[in-house]
Amino acid sequence: MARLLFTARDFGSLTEENNRLQLRNFLGTKNVAFMRQNHGDNFQIINTQATPNQSVITSEDGTDALITTDKNVALCVMVADCLPVLIDGQNVVAAVHVGRRGLMNEITLKVLEKMKSMGAEFKSITVGPHICGNCYPLDESTATEVWRKYPSSKIFNSDIGTKPTTSVNTAKTMNSTFCVDLFQGLVSQINSFNLTANLNIRRVGGCTFEKIQYFSHRASRDIGRQVGVISL
């Protein structure tokens, strides 16, 4: 069974090299792998034999998912509102970065397809702390585009302006009723892949916008990032 971990603000930002080394030491793994994320649909397969002298492995540019069958490496996905998606395929695991664009370009489905071709036997999909639907307003045209593809993601909330927040951009950010629940959209997307009726898709942690213990780009324009981590 895969090992999973989600960090929070008190661990420090995982954009910092020293914190990445600290994470590796905490996990007790030989290697940790990070992505150069850009909301695309590219993934990379990680094999530590290809980088024998790197304890902290960094992906190619424009990578938003990592896959491995290597027990010597922990895969990391950095987030500060987006969904950190960790997939346990028993003998193959993946970490996926999913925001609005990642949901629309179906990077998770591409990763599932690749994992399946590698012999994955899917056990669970876990989504860590991320911005909840009520806290993720978009302009009407963008929200409608997502709703059209994933109806379960639709939140039309006339009371959103009264939601408590510590955001420095409260008036600007919370003045919309066109909201998108990325997690529900992702669940709908994964279910379309017909993996198994018994697959456990769960979310853990809370809303990054609402809870100060998490980095949140929307709440405070944080440049820090927490991570989701998975390893065999």
Side-chain angles (χ1 to χ4, degrees):
M1 180 177 292
R3 299 184 298 164
L4 285 70
L5 171 74
F6 296 98
T7 68
R9 184 187 293 270
D10 59 2
F11 193 90
S13 173
L14 273 300
T15 59
E16 302 293 333
E17 185 71 18
N18 61 323
N19 288 335
R20 294 181 176 189
L21 289 170
Q22 181 183 343
L23 177 65
R24 187 202 65 160
N25 294 336
F26 177 79
L27 294 171
T29 58
K30 291 180 64 176
N31 309 86
V32 288
F34 286 81
M35 310 176 219
R36 293 189 177 103
Q37 301 164 188
N38 73 345
H39 299 277
D41 64 350
N42 294 322
F43 59 81
Q44 184 175 335
I45 297 174
I46 298 296
N47 182 346
T48 57
Q49 292 182 353
T51 54
N53 299 318
Q54 295 182 33
S55 59
V56 178
I57 301 168
T58 305
S59 76
E60 300 169 357
D61 287 340
T63 299
D64 284 271
L66 300 175
I67 305 171
T68 195
T69 58
D70 191 330
K71 294 183 178 181
N72 292 317
V73 64
L75 307 180
C76 305
V77 49
M78 295 188 296
V79 292
D81 284 330
C82 292
L83 279 61
V85 182
L86 305 180
I87 306 174
D88 179 3
Q90 187 166 321
N91 60 332
V92 54
V93 294
V96 190
H97 170 236
V98 181
R100 175 184 59 83
R101 283 180 281 176
L103 180 67
M104 297 299 284
N105 66 33
E106 301 183 344
I107 185 172
T108 304
L109 294 187
K110 295 177 174 67
V111 169
L112 291 172
E113 187 66 49
K114 182 61 178 180
M115 293 176 71
K116 185 177 179 180
S117 74
M118 296 169 68
E121 297 180 14
F122 296 103
K123 300 300 180 183
S124 67
I125 297 177
T126 305
V127 180
H130 58 276
I131 195 166
C132 74
N134 283 332
C135 294
Y136 188 47
L138 298 170
D139 64 85
E140 183 177 0
S141 62
T142 303
T144 301
E145 180 184 14
V146 182
W147 293 350
R148 187 178 297 115
K149 190 169 184 177
Y150 303 106
S152 62
S153 71
K154 183 175 182 177
I155 296 179
F156 190 84
N157 190 348
S158 60
D159 297 324
I160 193 168
T162 64
K163 192 174 183 65
T165 176
T166 58
S167 172
V168 296
N169 282 323
T170 302
K172 178 180 178 182
T173 304
M174 303 300 286
N175 193 30
S176 169
T177 57
F178 301 96
C179 296
V180 169
D181 189 326
L182 294 174
F183 176 78
Q184 291 302 331
L186 181 67
V187 170
S188 175
Q189 182 183 98
I190 292 170
N191 286 338
S192 72
F193 192 71
N194 295 321
L195 289 174
T196 170
N198 298 318
L199 182 67
N200 181 20
I201 306 173
R202 59 175 180 161
R203 58 177 157 188
V204 298
C207 172
T208 50
F209 189 96
E210 295 175 324
K211 295 192 174 184
I212 193 64
Q213 65 260 42
Y214 299 119
F215 293 109
S216 172
H217 177 71
R218 284 208 165 211
S220 56
R221 294 297 182 238
D222 274 324
I223 60 172
R225 296 292 184 269
Q226 57 257 345
V227 293
V229 186
I230 188 167
S231 63
L232 289 168

